[in-house]
Amino acid sequence: MSRVVNGRVRQTSGAGRLVRRLDRERRKWTRIEAVEIPTEQAWRAGVAEGLRLAQAAIRKGV
């Protein structure tokens, strides 16, 4: 279901579920496994940050 607010179509259902799923994925990516090479560690941090930004955008309704 969606509605129009300020000329934008906003989702009124399912956003909370998506935010929770992103949070679960972000936690998975931020877990530290044994010994990681710096490049992999940086890549995983980048993935986690992207997921965090996606959550923020969904909460704002962007």
Side-chain angles (χ1 to χ4, degrees), residues 1-16 18-19 22 52-62:
M1 182 171 193
S2 62
R3 63 180 180 172
V4 178
V5 175
N6 295 331
R8 291 185 178 178
V9 177
R10 292 187 57 183
Q11 295 295 323
T12 55
S13 63
L18 182 56
V19 168
L22 286 169
R52 188 188 69 74
L53 291 171
Q55 282 181 289
I58 291 167
R59 286 188 178 122
K60 286 183 178 180
V62 174

Side-chain angles (χ1 to χ4, degrees), residues 11-58:
Q11 295 295 323
T12 55
S13 63
R17 182 176 37 162
L18 182 56
V19 168
R20 285 191 302 275
R21 181 175 177 191
L22 286 169
D23 193 41
R24 222 176 16 251
E25 289 294 320
R26 183 173 53 83
R27 282 195 220 117
K28 184 172 80 173
W29 284 105
T30 55
R31 277 191 205 126
I32 298 174
E33 305 291 330
V35 177
E36 289 183 336
I37 57 175
T39 306
E40 183 180 356
Q41 189 175 17
W43 184 80
R44 291 170 73 89
V47 170
E49 179 65 7
L51 291 169
R52 188 188 69 74
L53 291 171
Q55 282 181 289
I58 291 167

